[in-house]
């Protein structure tokens, strides 16, 4: 039987048995194997990951700080726990005379049962890369956990300044936590092992839903905070607080304002017309017509306000401003004198009105267009309009 156990058999427990049955410091990747990585934590709790932190301590040498890690072997080999109780110094060989190279600083398990070697030990090693015009790091051998890529410039040596440590180190460390623990993400975000697993993605708590990491607020149906506003939406109807401070709702293809509007348009140019039938064009204006598009709210109703400063050149003749509501090419609500703003004056006077429009289709785009006219007359009077505006407020 291939079933392994620890501390059951009176004799014959192997090192393989012990490694395969460890259930402590492990972040699972499948039912048997775990993720290789470093235990998080720092002195004073200021940093996520301090274990095996490396810094340049001499021209060609670096100091590797203390830490604990686990290294997964092949599926039948189990996981190897390692600990560095005190910092250690590693030294890099001088650079190639012509080209740079990229070395790998790694934690490595030598196990003669599997690698055909002569030793069984854990080591900190430098895997030296090939010097080239476009240098690449070396391949990672089995039972090996990369810590850093180190770029060694051409000609680097202790006698000419050595390795520029401030830009030579590329951190490859990734953390692991105990089974069921919340994983602090450093570096690449790897797939989860089971639905319900959690990770802290640097400001956003995420839950693995079986196929993707989902921000914790969205999993609860809550509002995704602005700090995680770049997180992809998970479902239609999800809400988020955008970086601009606007509450938004995912409509299935895009983030849209949760509460549309208000909508407003105006024109401050004076224009007039002698037309006795409604026209959307005012003479003297560079921009015609005055129109406003809006999205109908879930309530199906809006409050429309419109108006202007207007005159008719005569106290006995009237000027009219009215609105037409369309959806595409379809007229939904046509011009009506009963709902127009009306004034009869030889001087400009301010006139406005507000009305409710209901029965709209939620989510549909409508357009309101302003029309103008003067009452029929034989004096060639012109109706004048200035500071015209239209405003739409969605109703709850």
């Amino acid at each position: 039987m291939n079933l392994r156990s620890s501390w059951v058999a009176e004799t014959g427990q192997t090192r393989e048995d012990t490694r395969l049955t460890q259930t402590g410091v492990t972040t699972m990747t499948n039912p048997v194997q775990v993720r290789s990585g470093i235990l998080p934590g720092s002195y004073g709790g200021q940093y996520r990951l301090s274990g095996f932190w490396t810094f340049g301590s001499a021209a060609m040498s670096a100091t590797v700080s203390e830490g604990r890690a686990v290294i997964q072997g092949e599926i039948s080999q189990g996981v190897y726990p390692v600990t560095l109780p005190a910092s250690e110094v590693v030294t890099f060989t001088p650079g190639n005379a012509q080209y740079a190279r990229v070395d790998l600083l790694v934690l490595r398990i030598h196990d003669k049962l599997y690698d055909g070697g002569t030793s069984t030990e854990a080591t900190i090693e430098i895997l030296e890369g090939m010097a080239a015009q476009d240098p690449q790091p070396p391949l990672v051998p089995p039972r090996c956990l990369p810590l850093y890529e180190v770029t060694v410039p051409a000609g680097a040596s202790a006698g000419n300044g050595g390795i520029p440590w401030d830009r030579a180190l590329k951190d490859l460390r990734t953390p692991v936590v105990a089974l069921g623990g919340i994983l602090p993400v450093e570096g690449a975000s790897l797939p989860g092992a089971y639905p319900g697993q959690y990770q802290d993605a640097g400001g956003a708590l995420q839950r693995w839903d079986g196929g993707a990491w989902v921000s914790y607020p969205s999993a609860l149906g809550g509002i995704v905070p602005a700090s995680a506003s770049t997180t992809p939406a998970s479902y239609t109807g999800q809400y988020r607080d955008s970086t601009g401070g606007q509450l938004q709702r995912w409509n299935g293809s895009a983030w849209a304002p949760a509460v549309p509007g208000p909508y407003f348009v105006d024109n401050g140019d004076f224009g007039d017309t002698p037309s006795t039938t409604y026209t959307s064009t005012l003479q003297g204006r560079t921009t015609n017509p005055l129109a406003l598009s809006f999205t109908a709210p879930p309530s199906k109703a809006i409050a429309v306000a419109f108006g202007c400063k207007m005159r008719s050149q005569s106290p006995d003749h009237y000027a009219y401003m009215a609105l037409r509501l369309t959806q595409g090419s379809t007229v939904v609500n046509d011009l009506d004198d009963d709902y127009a703003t009306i004034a009869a004056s030889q001087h400009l006077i301010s006139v406005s009105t507000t009305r409710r429009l209901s029965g709209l289709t939620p989510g549909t785009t409508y357009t309101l267009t302003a029309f103008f006219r003067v009452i029929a007359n034989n004096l060639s009077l012109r109706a004048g309009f200035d500071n015209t505006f239209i405003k739409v407020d969605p109703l709850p």
Side-chain angles (χ1 to χ4, degrees):
M1 182 179 291
N2 198 33
L3 184 65
R4 305 298 183 95
S5 66
S6 295
W7 321 121
V8 173
E10 295 182 1
T11 60
Q13 179 173 324
T14 67
R15 289 170 294 174
E16 219 173 45
D17 292 333
T18 306
R19 292 194 303 268
L20 281 166
T21 54
Q22 290 182 97
T23 57
V25 183
T26 51
T27 297
M28 304 301 294
T29 58
N30 59 48
V32 178
Q33 292 179 292
V34 303
R35 184 184 304 180
S36 297
I38 298 166
L39 277 66
S42 62
Y43 296 109
Q46 295 180 335
Y47 307 102
R48 288 174 177 261
L49 198 61
S50 289
F52 300 98
W53 177 63
T54 300
F55 58 93
S57 52
M60 298 298 293
S61 298
T63 297
V64 182
S65 301
E66 61 270 26
R68 298 177 66 195
V70 291
I71 302 172
Q72 174 67 54
E74 296 298 327
I75 194 167
S76 63
Q77 297 170 10
V79 61
Y80 298 81
V82 297
T83 300
L84 180 66
S87 61
E88 184 167 321
V89 175
V90 293
T91 301
F92 293 78
T93 60
N96 178 271
Q98 185 176 7
Y99 296 117
R101 72 171 193 270
V102 177
D103 294 349
L104 274 182
L105 178 65
V106 302
L107 301 178
R108 187 172 184 179
I109 298 295
H110 293 273
D111 192 333
K112 62 184 180 182
L113 291 177
Y114 308 114
D115 57 29
T118 58
S119 64
T120 300
E121 60 179 340
T123 61
I124 298 175
E125 294 185 14
I126 297 170
L127 304 181
E128 194 168 300
M130 294 290 294
Q133 191 170 1
D134 181 23
Q136 301 297 319
L139 296 177
V140 181
R143 295 171 299 283
C144 198
L145 177 62
L147 299 176
Y148 286 86
E149 286 183 6
V150 181
T151 300
V152 181
S157 68
N160 68 356
I163 298 172
W165 293 109
D166 59 337
R167 59 179 186 276
L169 291 168
K170 180 180 178 181
D171 195 347
L172 303 178
R173 296 173 302 157
T174 57
V176 293
V177 292
L179 182 64
I182 296 175
L183 180 70
V185 177
E186 290 290 323
S189 180
L190 301 178
Y194 56 89
Q197 182 180 359
Y198 286 91
Q199 69 175 18
D200 179 359
L205 185 62
Q206 297 179 332
R207 178 184 182 276
W208 182 255
D209 68 358
W213 289 107
V214 179
S215 291
Y216 188 59
S218 66
L220 289 181
I223 298 173
V224 179
S227 60
S229 62
T230 57
T231 303
S234 301
Y235 55 87
T236 300
Q238 181 182 0
Y239 288 89
R240 77 171 183 181
D241 178 14
S242 72
T243 54
Q246 183 185 51
L247 183 63
Q248 295 179 327
R249 179 183 182 275
W250 182 255
N251 63 16
S253 59
W255 288 105
V259 180
Y263 304 87
F264 183 84
V265 67
D266 66 348
N267 190 323
D269 291 340
F270 177 83
D272 59 13
T273 179
S275 177
T276 58
T277 58
Y278 278 114
T279 177
S280 62
T281 300
L282 292 178
Q283 297 174 14
R285 277 193 171 175
T286 57
T287 302
N288 284 290
L290 180 71
L292 176 64
S293 294
F294 64 92
T295 301
S299 66
K300 307 179 183 181
I302 59 171
V304 181
F306 64 98
C308 63
K309 294 173 68 175
M310 59 198 302
R311 72 180 183 205
S312 62
Q313 292 187 310
S314 167
D316 297 323
H317 295 78
Y318 291 90
Y320 293 78
M321 175 184 178
L323 299 182
R324 173 180 285 164
L325 177 66
T326 57
Q327 195 275 304
S329 60
T330 302
V331 176
V332 178
N333 200 293
D334 210 352
L335 303 167
D336 190 334
D337 286 349
D338 288 342
Y339 296 104
T341 57
I342 306 172
S345 172
Q346 63 190 88
H347 305 291
L348 285 170
I349 59 174
S350 295
V351 184
S352 66
T353 187
T354 301
R355 65 172 301 195
R356 172 191 175 97
L357 294 175
S358 58
L360 307 177
T361 302
T364 300
T365 299
Y366 293 85
T367 301
L368 286 165
T369 304
F371 284 77
F372 311 89
R373 76 180 183 94
V374 65
I375 197 169
N377 67 87
N378 56 8
L379 301 177
S380 299
L381 298 179
R382 303 176 70 89
F385 305 87
D386 198 4
N387 296 337
T388 51
F389 75 91
I390 307 171
K391 183 175 185 288
V392 171
D393 287 292
L395 294 176

